[in-house]
């Protein structure tokens, strides 16, 4: 291939890289920021429930949870419980009630709901792939955005001429060059991670973006699909004959002896009915590819019904890809690498969006379309972190025990982000950027100090507040004027 053709290919790839990044850049920014935060979903949940410090044996915690649910959630089709572990000191319970699906964090000792009702880190986890949109639209948009991200990454790699040099190149206070250097360095330094996390994310939502294989084999019969995916689950129709639930803790201990490892989840189907089934699942926290292993019991007698371990090659392959994306297997050091990689991807998207405007501003006055993009950049890139910070601050300020407290925290986050978007559209960027960045810094600092409880998360919030405070001051000061080059004497 001649040099002219190679250069032409790079220019086409650079053009495609810029446009596909612009089209869904704001959606990708939200997804990547929320995904980065959700790496520490259990730790965020612990920080947002400071009153819950007691710990209990996992089997005893599940027994306490089922006792409370038996008294307070009788009219339901099932209880779905996540077992407490070293990273999470509450039992996460989900169940349907009156047509509404409820989520509760239960105290591991008493089994009662935690005093501070909150979604905790679950809010960031859901925001990452559902974008607070109803099913299936949020997941479908996230899947399309992941495809766009993969195209942007591949075209960005092809467009680069000097990838190795970009590792070490940053020219500060040079306008467009500085933004380009920052964007390149953030993208290049963690390219393998960016490719892995984008591809694995795309695969996890493949049933939505590429549903044809499933439709060809199952049509609209989702029950048959789920049955084939989990053939070992014990299924029973409700008998509509009341019967008490047998103690669950002995079933958990028996399943742990049979399955090995630790127990991650417990499902109780048809609780309070003669056809009740208790299914106990091995945890995926100690394995990269989560190969399901479960044991089911008769919920009334406590006698074993079935035992199943997933061994199908195709399913195990998918589970490895899924496990790489979810990172539940990761020890502390690896989780921090995931966090830093996600943060670099988030900042690469943000700098790319700003670079789009800086590049055009240095060439000529901005068109109306680019002025809209410039203000949306400020509203989204400055406003979404502010919404996240106000979500944490609302957790500290809202009174305990008020109705729908968790919903109010979520509403504060979403309405704050919406208000920031309006502010970004209404104010000149030289005002909106420092105002939004400074407000985020203040919210992070107050959330960490109100009250100050020594923890890694409080420390991270204070460091984030300091960094954003410095950035807001730089934004308020504006870019340094570059000295004009002296013209050569004629």
């Amino acid at each position: 291939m001649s040099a002219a053709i190679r250069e032409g290919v790079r220019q086409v790839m650079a053009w495609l890289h810029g446009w596909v990044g612009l089209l869904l850049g704001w959606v990708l920014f939200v997804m990547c920021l929320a995904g980065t935060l959700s790496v520490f979903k259990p730790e965020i949940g612990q920080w947002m429930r400071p009153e819950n410090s007691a710990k209990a044996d996992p089997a005893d915690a599940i027994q306490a949870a089922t006792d409370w649910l038996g008294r307070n959630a009788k009219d339901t089709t099932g209880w779905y419980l996540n077992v407490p572990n070293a990273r999470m000191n509450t039992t996460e319970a989900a169940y349907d009630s009156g047509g509404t699906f409820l989520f509760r964090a239960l105290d591991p000792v008493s089994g009662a709901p935690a005093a501070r009702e909150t979604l905790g880190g679950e809010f960031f986890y859901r925001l990452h792939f559902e974008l607070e949109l109803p099913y299936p639209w949020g997941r479908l948009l996230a899947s399309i955005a992941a495809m766009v991200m993969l195209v942007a990454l591949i075209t960005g790699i092809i467009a680069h001429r000097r990838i190795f040099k970009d590792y070490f190149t940053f020219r500060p206070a040079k306008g467009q060059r500085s933004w380009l250097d920052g964007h390149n360095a953030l993208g290049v330094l963690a390219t393998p991670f960016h490719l892995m996390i984008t591809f694995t994310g795309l695969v996890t939502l493949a049933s939505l973006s590429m549903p044809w294989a499933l439709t060809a084999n199952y049509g609209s019969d989702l029950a048959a699909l789920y049955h084939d995916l989990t053939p070992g689950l014990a299924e029973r129709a409700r008998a509509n004959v009341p019967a008490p639930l047998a103690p669950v803790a002995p079933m958990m201990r028996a399943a742990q002896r049979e399955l090995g490892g630790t127990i991650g989840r417990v499902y109780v189907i048809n609780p309070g009915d003669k056809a009740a089934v208790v299914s106990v699942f091995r945890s995926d926290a100690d394995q990269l590819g989560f190969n399901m292993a479960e044991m089911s019991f008769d919920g009334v007698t406590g006698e074993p019904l079935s035992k199943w371990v997933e061994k199908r090659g195709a399913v195990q392959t998918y589970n490895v890809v899924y496990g790489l994306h979810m990172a539940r297997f990761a020890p502390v050091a690896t989780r921090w690498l995931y966090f830093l990689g996600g943060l670099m991807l988030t900042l690469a998207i943000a700098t790319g969006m700003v670079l789009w405007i800086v590049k055009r501003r240095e060439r000529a006055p901005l068109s109306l379309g680019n002025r809209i993009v410039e203000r949306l950049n400020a509203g989204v890139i400055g406003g979404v972190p502010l919404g996240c910070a106000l979500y944490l601050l609302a957790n500290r300020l809202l009174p305990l025990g008020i109705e729908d407290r968790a919903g109010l925290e979520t509403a504060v986050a979403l309405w704050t982000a919406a208000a920031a978007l309006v502010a970004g559209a209404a104010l000149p960027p030289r005002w909106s950027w420092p105002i939004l960045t400074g407000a985020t810094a203040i919210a992070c600092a107050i959330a960490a100090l109100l009250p100050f409880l020594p923890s890694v998360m409080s420390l991270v919030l204070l460091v984030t507040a300091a960094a954003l405070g410095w950035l807001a001051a730089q934004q308020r000061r504006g870019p340094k004027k570059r000295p004009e080059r002296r013209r050569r004497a004629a």
Side-chain angles (χ1 to χ4, degrees), residues 40-357:
F40 291 105
K41 183 180 83 163
E43 287 80 5
I44 293 174
Q46 283 202 42
W47 183 86
M48 294 181 75
R49 300 184 189 95
E51 294 83 5
N52 289 84
S53 57
K55 296 184 182 296
D57 176 79
D60 294 336
I62 292 298
Q63 184 62 60
T66 53
D67 290 345
W68 184 87
L69 289 166
R71 295 190 300 272
N72 298 278
K74 297 177 181 177
D75 300 325
T76 179
T77 57
W79 305 329
Y80 306 91
L81 307 171
N82 283 327
V83 179
N85 53 42
R87 299 178 61 195
M88 181 178 71
N89 64 348
T90 53
T91 302
E92 291 185 347
Y95 54 94
D96 57 299
S97 177
T100 304
F101 209 71
L102 301 176
F103 172 87
R104 292 279 186 275
L106 305 179
D107 185 276
V109 177
S110 67
R116 194 176 295 261
E117 186 193 356
T118 177
L119 288 178
E122 184 75 11
F123 168 70
F124 298 115
Y125 175 64
R126 295 284 168 184
L127 180 65
H128 169 58
F129 67 95
E130 292 184 333
L131 299 162
E132 288 294 321
L133 294 174
Y135 180 85
W137 305 113
R139 298 186 185 201
L140 194 57
L141 179 57
S143 178
I144 294 170
M147 289 186 209
V148 168
M149 187 75 206
L150 192 60
V151 172
L153 286 172
I154 293 172
T155 53
I157 292 170
I158 297 174
H160 266 290
R161 284 181 296 182
R162 299 165 299 184
I163 287 183
F164 183 76
K165 190 175 181 180
D166 286 339
Y167 275 105
F168 308 102
T169 302
F170 182 70
R171 292 160 285 191
K174 300 279 186 189
Q176 178 185 333
R177 280 185 181 177
S178 301
W179 285 103
L180 181 60
D181 289 343
H183 177 69
N184 287 341
L186 288 165
V188 168
L189 277 171
T191 295
F193 174 82
H194 295 166
L195 286 170
M196 180 278 290
I197 207 71
T198 303
F199 174 74
T200 54
L202 190 56
V203 171
T204 61
L205 294 172
S207 60
L208 280 174
S209 55
M210 292 175 281
W212 306 284
L214 298 178
T215 304
N217 286 284
Y218 295 96
S220 58
D221 190 357
L222 294 180
L225 168 64
Y226 292 134
H227 179 77
D228 284 355
L229 286 174
T230 55
L233 282 179
E235 297 174 322
R236 275 180 174 179
R238 193 175 184 86
N240 292 320
V241 178
L245 186 70
V248 176
M251 301 183 213
M252 274 189 67
R253 294 189 175 105
Q256 186 161 1
R257 286 193 297 272
E258 290 289 330
L259 302 176
T262 57
I263 300 302
R265 290 174 292 147
V266 176
Y267 292 173
V268 182
I269 309 300
N270 303 327
D273 189 84
K274 188 179 180 182
V277 176
V278 177
S279 296
V280 182
F281 299 84
R282 193 171 65 190
S283 170
D284 62 349
D286 56 355
Q287 46 188 335
L288 171 58
F290 175 44
N291 294 320
M292 188 179 287
E294 70 90 25
M295 191 168 176
S296 292
F297 301 84
D298 185 297
V300 176
T301 66
E303 294 296 318
L305 293 176
S306 64
K307 175 186 167 186
W308 170 60
V309 178
E310 178 61 71
K311 294 181 178 177
R312 292 171 291 181
V315 177
Q316 288 179 316
T317 302
Y318 171 84
N319 287 341
V320 169
V321 175
Y322 181 79
L324 274 171
H325 190 81
M326 301 302 289
R328 290 180 183 140
F329 70 93
V332 175
T334 308
R335 282 201 296 277
W336 276 107
L337 289 177
Y338 264 74
F339 181 83
L340 292 175
L343 189 61
M344 292 174 71
L345 183 56
T346 306
L347 293 175
I349 294 168
T351 52
M353 299 295 290
V354 174
L355 178 61
W356 174 276
I357 294 302

Side-chain angles (χ1 to χ4, degrees), residues 48 117-119 123 387 390-395 397-416:
M48 294 181 75
E117 186 193 356
T118 177
L119 288 178
F123 168 70
L390 263 290
Y391 172 73
L392 301 177
L393 185 56
N395 174 262
L397 295 179
L398 288 174
L400 302 184
I402 60 173
E403 187 177 355
D404 194 21
R405 189 178 186 284
L408 286 174
E409 286 182 1
T410 302
V412 167
L414 298 181
W415 282 109
T416 300

Side-chain angles (χ1 to χ4, degrees), residues 339-386:
F339 181 83
L340 292 175
L343 189 61
M344 292 174 71
L345 183 56
T346 306
L347 293 175
I349 294 168
T351 52
M353 299 295 290
V354 174
L355 178 61
W356 174 276
I357 294 302
V358 172
K359 185 186 295 184
R360 281 151 183 80
R361 182 183 289 284
E362 291 194 357
R363 291 175 185 168
L366 292 179
S367 64
L368 175 61
N370 283 328
R371 287 203 298 274
I372 293 174
V373 171
E374 183 183 36
R375 296 200 173 203
L376 285 176
N377 275 347
V380 175
I381 299 173
V384 173
L386 179 58

